[in-house]
Amino acid sequence: MASGRNGFPRGPNLRNSSSFKSKLPPSSTVRRSIPGALGAVSGRVRVAVRLRPQNAEELEADADFADCVELQPELKRLKLRKNNWDSDTYEFDEVLTEYASQKRVYEVVAKPVVESVLEGYNGTVMAYGQTGTGKTYTLGRLGDEDTSARGIMVRSLEDIFSNISQETDTVTVSYLQLYMETIQDLLNPANDNISIVEDQKTGDVSLPGATVVEIRDQQSFVELLRIGEAHRFAANTKLNTESSRSHAILMVQVRRSVLGRENDFTSEHDVSSNGVNNFKPPIIRKGKLVVVDLAGSERIHKSGSEGHMLEEAKSINLSLSALGKCINALAENSAHVPVRDSKLTRLLKDSFGGTSRTSLVITIGPSPRHRAETASTILFGQRAMKVENMLKIKEEFDYKSLSKRLEIQIEKLTAENERLQKACEDEVERIKLEAQKQISEAERDCAEALKEEKMKCQMDYMESIKQLEEKWMLNQTKHASNGFIGTSHAAEGGMPSGNDEVSELKKLLQNEVQQRKAAELEIKNLKDCLLKSMKPELAGGNADIFNLQKMLEEESQQRKKLEEEVIVLRHQLSQLTLEASQTTSCPDRSRTGNGFVGLDSVSSLRHLQFKDASDGERPSISNLHEKVGLHKILSLLESDDPNVRIHAVKVVANLAAEANQAKIVEAGGLSSLLMLLRSYEDETIRRIAAGAVANLAMNEFNQELIMAQGGICLLAMTASDAEDPQTLRMVAGAVANLCGNDKLQTRLRSEGGIKALLGMVRSRHPDVLSQVARGIANFAKCESRAATQAFANLGTKHGRSLLIEDGALPWIVQNANNEASLIRRHVELALCHLAQHEVNANDLISGGALWELVRISRDCSRDDIRALACRTLTSSPTFVAELRRLRIEV
């Protein structure tokens, strides 16, 4: 791509560029809280330096000369060479190389200012430098053909529109130029002499004659920039084919409502009678962003200006000189600041020494031919860094908006009150009619019921009178007859027969009771006899059972004694075999008559240690087992002396770290180490034994042996009991080595290996966390490899990650940006491997891992991990859909 007039890649200028809409989502902008809502906050002018790349002319003319500028962006320093052996060093807030992108320049120079403007502060972004060093490219580039080339003006409005509400907030724009000490309107060329008005009370500077346009979207703003640039003065000089002959000033006014949004009248369905008392005046914050593209300073004999262009150059240099004087006075805390020497300094009164947050980007070129101009620009930036501004937020209560809202609410409440009143009257009338109807029905029913009850009472009364008359007549008839006494005697004669029946019944009842008692007594006697006859038999059976149990116990005890004797005999046999082999190889020692193997081995070990302390020559661990004997060293692991046992396990651990692993495993060293983890509670022994197992676990064959002998269960038990960080580090290292074996994934998880690994993060020690992260990365890598092979061979998709099922994802997300680089690298790698398979995508999104993947794809220091994250995000349909929904570009 050809280079433009400032040495940057050529693209469409403001006159020929088209619009571009921001694709950044509102959530992607990081907002900062600006302190000092009521008072003033001190803020120094921030200065960044940007180096323009060499253009075609400089590549040819300066081919034999070294650049006069050397940048050190990591130290934020710049070196200006005086000659081949001497240079001056300057420090700035940011140092941007010739390879810095437009996005990077915006983020470090203008983004903090834009955020302050959105919070209600004034902000200024200004570019200063020699003509042809890239000021207009940095500020005003539209980037129609290449969106990455958009300048600060376009990116600032994109951020502003993404953080405001179209319903409550407004953005207005004015675009001016200062040409030959006259302020001209770029949006209305006829308005070519705008006066400056200064408020006597506040000192604020305004331009009431400038055109102010309210914009609602990015497209409208780009069209305004295109119109303004078409009217800006430019000329062709020796230093620049399109040299700006005026200072361009873009003013953006942002008016934001802070509290009015939550209390807006959108909740029309929830209207209460006391809602008016809850209203507060919404706060309006007014921020102003000023972007100043200064015309470049130039020397007449280099630019070749003459005639009218010479007068333009004089005017530009005078205004820049006046600006430099003001900055010098402010930097030196001078009592007098010559603000009125130029209209440029009057317009920028609030930017330097005022209430605005100001960022200055100075642009320089690499050519040694322009070293004097470069040095002048650098000194200008150095002085500007000493200027202190007092930032003040500008906010006020929006009483007009509150009044309008209250009027609307009053009208709504009035209409609602009338509606409710009418509804209430209708309801009262309906209830009244219904009550009258119910009263008349009740009266009618009551009258009918009363009438029926009255007739019923009359009938009952007549029937009662009739029955009483009949009874009276019957009684009269009985008293008048003569058979009354005979009937009485007959009744007395029947009494004896009734008494006989009663006595007979009593007798039968007594007989039944006696028979029942006799039957119960007989049953009891039979039970007693049965129990007496069964007791001897039961006693004999119990005795037999007891004798059998006693015999079984004796047999089991004898069996245990025999087993113990067998073990002792085997151990003695191995000891005798070892002594015989050593006696054969060392006849001199056998003649001494020392038959205590353990003592001989310990003395040998200690002899080597004492020799190391005295002679300073330590024998290598690799040939120690050849001098002492590997079997003898392993036998000392079972010694009763704790010191002997510790020395022995240390030697075995050191041997395991060298090329002796096969011999140790062949001699049974692995089983002995696992026995130490199982049997001993001494922290030192467990730590060294775990380290030795970790060394042995680096071999794939040994890994399978460790799993076969229950090593992972022992390591998990040790991890749960230990509190020493070094012990946990050894155990985590062993488990991490086992996690790197593809064949052991399922078994490792089923026997608690992953749970034990995650449980060790309680230590919070960096070494332990590093081993845990390495183990998770190894496990995730093996899972990813197994899933890929299964899909390639069988066409089947692998199931959900075992790490996610065991709850490792929250810890992975939490430590993806850990301060320790080693932990961060392992966790980033594990996260990328987990994200490679679509079945884990939804878990990663819900667990917050998507944001970490995006960060890794952008900021990871390792190119391979960053490329893996980018490839994973772009290849997963689930991730692509979520990123599209969030409007995030990778």
Side-chain angles (χ1 to χ4, degrees):
M1 182 181 291
S3 60
R5 64 186 178 110
N6 295 328
F8 289 96
R10 184 180 296 278
N13 56 25
L14 292 175
R15 295 182 178 88
N16 300 324
S17 57
S18 61
S19 65
F20 174 79
K21 280 193 174 182
S22 172
K23 294 184 179 180
L24 289 174
S27 61
S28 66
T29 302
V30 180
R31 301 296 305 275
R32 301 178 182 173
S33 61
I34 306 299
L38 298 177
V41 180
S42 176
R44 178 178 59 81
V45 174
R46 291 179 55 84
V47 180
V49 59
R50 187 181 193 187
L51 177 64
R52 170 181 59 76
Q54 287 182 322
N55 53 31
E57 179 186 356
E58 292 172 344
L59 288 173
E60 180 179 356
D62 301 336
D64 298 331
F65 300 92
D67 293 345
C68 66
V69 176
E70 178 186 352
L71 301 184
Q72 296 177 338
E74 65 278 1
L75 300 177
K76 297 182 180 180
R77 291 178 182 173
L78 177 148
K79 287 187 176 181
L80 181 63
R81 291 192 179 93
K82 295 180 179 180
N83 44 49
N84 291 334
W85 58 84
D86 193 10
S87 62
D88 294 329
T89 302
Y90 303 91
E91 291 186 358
F92 292 91
D93 295 305
E94 291 292 340
V95 175
L96 304 169
T97 66
E98 62 270 32
Y99 305 107
S101 64
Q102 291 283 74
K103 180 181 179 181
R104 169 66 177 166
V105 174
Y106 169 74
E107 288 178 347
V108 302
V109 174
K111 191 176 181 65
V113 178
V114 173
E115 292 174 349
S116 299
V117 171
L118 289 170
E119 295 294 340
Y121 294 85
N122 289 344
T124 301
V125 179
M126 187 171 68
Y128 176 92
Q130 183 189 8
T131 181
T133 53
K135 297 183 297 301
T136 302
Y137 178 88
T138 300
L139 295 181
R141 193 75 166 184
L142 288 183
D144 290 332
E145 296 180 359
D146 184 7
T147 57
S148 63
R150 292 167 297 169
I152 287 177
M153 290 182 181
V154 177
R155 293 178 185 269
S156 298
L157 265 295
E158 286 177 359
D159 260 4
I160 290 173
F161 280 122
S162 64
N163 286 280
I164 65 172
S165 172
Q166 295 291 341
E167 290 78 15
T168 59
D169 304 337
T170 60
V171 178
T172 59
V173 171
S174 298
Y175 200 15
L176 312 168
Q177 70 174 352
L178 180 61
Y179 176 72
M180 300 288 288
E181 283 302 301
T182 60
I183 301 175
Q184 301 178 3
D185 196 337
L186 292 176
L187 302 180
N188 183 14
N191 191 5
D192 58 356
N193 192 8
I194 301 174
S195 59
I196 300 176
V197 177
E198 184 173 352
D199 192 337
Q200 297 297 330
K201 293 182 179 180
T202 62
D204 294 339
V205 176
S206 61
L207 301 171
T211 301
V212 179
V213 179
E214 181 176 353
I215 55 176
R216 309 295 296 178
D217 52 33
Q218 188 72 11
Q219 177 70 27
S220 304
F221 174 70
V222 173
E223 293 298 330
L224 288 178
L225 285 183
R226 187 178 293 110
I227 293 172
E229 187 64 17
H231 298 115
R232 189 176 178 185
F233 289 99
N236 185 4
T237 66
K238 292 181 180 180
L239 298 176
N240 197 344
T241 57
E242 293 180 22
S243 176
S244 301
R245 314 307 292 171
S246 65
H247 307 299
I249 303 170
L250 175 69
M251 294 184 177
V252 182
Q253 298 278 354
V254 181
R255 187 176 185 272
R256 300 187 67 204
S257 177
V258 178
L259 300 179
R261 298 174 186 174
E262 296 182 357
N263 296 330
D264 211 352
F265 289 97
T266 55
S267 58
E268 297 180 358
H269 302 287
D270 187 15
V271 180
S272 59
S273 60
N274 59 349
V276 180
N277 297 328
N278 296 328
F279 283 111
K280 296 181 180 179
I283 296 177
I284 300 299
R285 289 182 176 173
K286 296 180 179 180
K288 180 174 71 173
L289 174 64
V290 179
V291 183
V292 184
D293 181 11
L294 294 174
S297 61
E298 60 184 64
R299 295 194 177 185
I300 306 302
H301 68 278
K302 291 185 178 182
S303 64
S305 300
E306 58 184 10
H308 185 66
M309 290 176 55
L310 179 59
E311 296 300 324
E312 291 176 342
K314 290 180 180 180
S315 177
I316 292 171
N317 289 336
L318 285 174
S319 60
L320 293 178
S321 176
L323 179 60
K325 292 179 181 178
C326 290
I327 289 178
N328 287 340
L330 291 170
E332 297 172 0
N333 293 325
S334 177
H336 173 67
V337 180
V339 177
R340 297 186 174 274
D341 288 358
S342 171
K343 288 187 178 181
L344 176 63
T345 55
R346 294 184 66 190
L347 289 174
L348 298 179
K349 177 182 178 181
D350 190 56
S351 303
F352 294 94
T355 62
S356 174
R357 182 182 293 274
T358 301
S359 284
L360 172 66
V361 54
I362 58 173
T363 56
I364 59 176
S367 176
R369 293 178 297 160
H370 306 302
R371 185 190 177 284
E373 289 82 357
T374 301
S376 176
T377 302
I378 292 173
L379 292 177
F380 179 89
Q382 289 287 301
R383 290 190 295 269
M385 290 177 65
K386 299 178 181 179
V387 178
E388 290 281 344
N389 292 347
M390 297 302 294
L391 310 183
K392 291 184 180 180
I393 194 170
K394 295 186 178 180
E395 61 183 20
E396 62 185 19
F397 291 109
D398 190 4
Y399 291 106
K400 292 183 180 180
S401 174
L402 177 62
S403 176
K404 185 177 179 180
R405 293 170 60 189
L406 291 176
E407 289 177 358
I408 296 174
Q409 184 69 3
I410 289 172
E411 293 176 358
K412 290 173 61 177
L413 291 175
T414 302
E416 182 68 15
N417 186 32
E418 293 177 355
R419 186 185 65 81
L420 292 176
Q421 186 175 0
K422 188 176 183 304
C424 182
E425 291 176 355
D426 295 341
E427 184 69 15
V428 169
E429 186 66 23
R430 185 188 65 78
I431 293 174
K432 183 177 179 180
L433 293 175
E434 186 176 353
Q436 290 177 355
K437 182 179 178 181
Q438 290 179 355
I439 289 172
S440 23
E441 290 178 358
E443 288 177 350
R444 184 171 62 253
D445 294 341
C446 184
E448 291 177 357
L450 185 61
K451 184 177 180 180
E452 292 176 358
E453 188 68 22
K454 184 177 179 181
M455 292 181 64
K456 183 178 179 181
C457 291
Q458 289 178 355
M459 295 295 294
D460 292 342
Y461 175 73
M462 295 299 294
E463 184 69 23
S464 299
I465 294 297
K466 185 177 179 181
Q467 290 178 359
L468 289 174
E469 289 179 352
E470 290 176 355
K471 288 181 180 181
W472 184 76
M473 292 295 294
L474 182 59
N475 290 331
Q476 289 292 332
T477 304
K478 287 181 179 180
H479 284 290
S481 63
N482 295 326
F484 178 75
I485 299 174
T487 304
S488 301
H489 284 290
E492 291 178 359
M495 287 296 293
S497 62
N499 293 331
D500 294 339
E501 291 178 358
V502 171
S503 60
E504 188 174 345
L505 289 174
K506 287 182 177 181
K507 289 180 180 180
L508 291 174
L509 180 61
Q510 290 177 356
N511 291 334
E512 290 291 335
V513 170
Q514 291 176 358
Q515 290 178 2
R516 183 176 63 80
K517 289 182 178 181
E520 290 177 353
L521 183 61
E522 186 176 359
I523 290 171
K524 182 177 180 182
N525 294 332
L526 290 174
K527 286 182 178 180
D528 294 338
C529 293
L530 182 62
L531 289 174
K532 291 178 180 179
S533 62
M534 291 178 64
K535 276 183 179 180
E537 297 179 0
L538 290 174
N542 291 336
D544 294 339
I545 293 172
F546 179 75
N547 293 330
L548 289 174
Q549 289 179 350
K550 187 174 181 181
M551 291 173 64
L552 289 175
E553 289 178 357
E554 291 177 354
E555 289 289 339
S556 61
Q557 290 178 358
Q558 292 178 0
R559 181 181 176 184
K560 288 181 180 179
K561 290 180 179 179
L562 290 174
E563 289 178 352
E564 292 176 355
E565 291 178 0
V566 169
I567 293 173
V568 172
L569 290 174
R570 286 180 179 175
H571 183 68
Q572 291 177 356
L573 178 61
S574 62
Q575 293 285 348
L576 291 174
T577 304
L578 180 61
E579 290 177 5
S581 62
Q582 291 176 356
T583 305
T584 304
S585 60
C586 302
D588 295 335
R589 183 179 301 176
S590 64
R591 286 193 293 267
T592 60
N594 186 3
F596 189 23
V597 180
L599 184 59
D600 184 29
S601 302
V602 175
S603 62
S604 300
L605 291 176
R606 290 177 177 171
H607 173 69
L608 291 173
Q609 292 176 356
F610 294 152
K611 183 178 180 181
D612 179 25
S614 60
D615 300 337
E617 298 179 356
R618 181 180 182 270
S620 63
I621 297 297
S622 61
N623 58 13
L624 178 63
H625 68 281
E626 298 177 358
K627 296 182 178 180
V628 179
L630 184 58
H631 288 281
K632 185 177 294 184
I633 295 174
L634 294 178
S635 66
L636 295 178
L637 295 177
E638 301 178 1
S639 173
D640 295 333
D641 188 352
N643 294 327
V644 174
R645 197 163 55 242
I646 290 175
H647 283 299
V649 74
K650 285 183 179 179
V651 173
V652 174
N654 290 328
L655 289 173
E658 300 178 0
N660 302 294
Q661 296 186 359
K663 296 180 180 179
I664 293 175
V665 175
E666 184 178 355
L670 177 59
S671 302
S672 299
L673 291 172
L674 294 178
M675 180 270 295
L676 291 178
L677 290 179
R678 181 185 297 108
S679 304
Y680 292 97
E681 297 182 357
D682 184 84
E683 191 73 24
T684 304
I685 293 179
R686 291 201 300 177
R687 178 175 69 252
I688 302 173
V693 173
N695 291 333
L696 293 176
M698 291 188 290
N699 181 277
E700 184 176 356
F701 177 76
N702 296 342
Q703 292 172 356
E704 296 179 359
L705 288 179
I706 292 172
M707 294 296 295
Q709 297 184 22
I712 189 62
C713 295
L714 293 175
L715 291 171
M717 180 179 65
T718 305
S720 63
D721 296 338
E723 295 297 335
D724 180 41
Q726 296 305 318
T727 304
L728 293 176
R729 179 174 69 88
M730 297 298 181
V731 176
V735 179
N737 291 336
L738 294 175
C739 287
N741 194 323
D742 296 342
K743 304 175 184 178
L744 307 178
Q745 296 281 295
T746 305
R747 187 173 178 184
L748 186 67
R749 186 244 182 170
S750 63
E751 294 184 10
I754 303 302
K755 292 288 187 182
L757 197 64
L758 293 176
M760 284 183 277
V761 302
R762 70 182 186 276
S763 172
R764 300 182 181 273
H765 195 278
D767 294 340
V768 180
L769 297 182
S770 175
Q771 295 298 327
V772 172
R774 183 171 69 87
I776 291 176
N778 289 342
F779 197 93
K781 185 177 181 179
C782 291
E783 268 193 336
S784 175
R785 187 161 52 231
T788 303
Q789 292 176 357
F791 184 78
N793 298 334
L794 304 176
T796 59
K797 293 185 177 180
H798 201 265
R800 188 163 171 252
S801 171
L802 299 179
L803 287 173
I804 295 178
E805 290 184 355
D806 278 358
L809 184 58
W811 186 85
I812 293 175
V813 174
Q814 182 182 0
N815 289 271
N817 197 15
N818 195 288
E819 295 179 355
S821 60
L822 190 59
I823 299 174
R824 182 173 66 253
R825 177 169 61 82
H826 287 311
V827 174
E828 288 175 347
L829 189 60
L831 196 58
C832 291
H833 284 306
L834 288 176
Q836 282 186 310
H837 301 286
E838 192 69 16
V839 70
N840 300 327
N842 290 327
D843 291 316
L844 294 175
I845 292 173
S846 62
L850 179 60
W851 300 105
E852 295 299 332
L853 286 171
V854 173
R855 180 194 61 77
I856 294 170
S857 67
R858 295 176 178 175
D859 302 334
C860 183
S861 59
R862 283 187 49 173
D863 296 338
D864 55 343
I865 298 178
R866 187 168 64 251
L868 180 60
C870 291
R871 185 168 64 253
T872 301
L873 289 174
T874 55
S875 62
S876 170
T878 305
F879 287 151
V880 171
E882 184 67 11
L883 291 173
R884 188 181 298 112
R885 184 182 71 82
L886 297 174
R887 299 173 63 191
I888 297 177
E889 294 180 356
V890 180

